[in-house]
Amino acid sequence: CFWEQWAWVRDLSLAAMHRGLRKADWLADIPAAVRQWKTQGSRVALLTDQPSVLCDYLGRWGLIDAVCSPVTVKEGECVDIDARFDKWANLESRLDAWRIDADAVLHVGNGSNDVPVWQRVGRGIAVFAEPDVAAAADVDLGQPSSLLDIAG
């Protein structure tokens, strides 16, 4: 699935990618949930295997940290990707740099690549996940209509 998505976006300019992201059907309250988590003293970051160029919109949501697959961009075009599909390995190195213990992490996810993270962090929450994936999380919130359901 990742490589099919990458093949589609690889040929788009950064401007075209960002236009598409602005039109995407995101949960409307992402910025409010991020603000609430930060107010509660949490460090909030996006952990994804998606290309870094697709994470550029994070600032709009109040997120400044992303653990993602780095993309090399030259003259506004994507020319290479370092696709690291091991979310846990990527997160573990970041946690070391941040001096945060894995037991203090709450990870929200929806895919089979989130299961190894849930197995190693303090709390795992599944959203929009298939039943077999959701069973690996500590909590399955099904299909929440609001991220504030999680933030509370």
Side-chain angles (χ1 to χ4, degrees):
C1 181
F2 173 87
W3 289 111
E4 289 175 21
Q5 293 172 354
W6 173 244
W8 180 76
V9 293
R10 175 186 60 223
D11 297 328
L12 296 175
S13 69
L14 291 179
M17 282 186 219
H18 292 170
R19 277 193 301 275
L21 289 168
R22 282 191 295 275
K23 294 178 183 177
D25 187 24
W26 306 105
L27 292 174
D29 58 8
I30 292 173
V34 169
R35 277 192 306 277
Q36 185 169 333
W37 284 321
K38 286 182 174 182
T39 299
Q40 295 168 350
S42 299
R43 180 168 196 148
V44 183
L46 175 69
L47 173 62
T48 182
D49 57 5
Q50 295 301 309
S52 56
V53 292
L54 296 180
C55 298
D56 292 345
Y57 54 84
L58 296 176
R60 294 179 43 201
W61 296 342
L63 291 168
I64 58 171
D65 293 315
V67 181
C68 53
S69 296
V71 172
T72 302
V73 178
K74 290 184 180 174
E75 298 178 8
E77 303 294 325
C78 300
V79 294
D80 191 26
I81 185 166
D82 180 4
R84 298 177 186 158
F85 297 110
D86 188 343
K87 282 186 174 183
W88 171 246
N90 291 339
L91 178 60
E92 184 178 35
S93 66
R94 192 64 64 94
L95 291 176
D96 288 344
W98 290 336
R99 296 188 172 111
I100 296 174
D101 188 72
D103 289 337
V105 172
L106 180 147
H107 176 69
V108 179
N110 66 346
S112 59
N113 58 352
D114 293 300
V115 173
V117 179
W118 290 331
Q119 293 170 339
R120 292 170 173 93
V121 300
R123 187 114 167 125
I125 298 179
V127 294
F128 304 104
E130 295 295 324
D132 60 324
V133 171
D138 297 307
V139 176
D140 177 12
L141 292 181
Q143 301 204 10
S145 59
S146 169
L147 279 185
L148 292 170
D149 294 344
I150 301 168

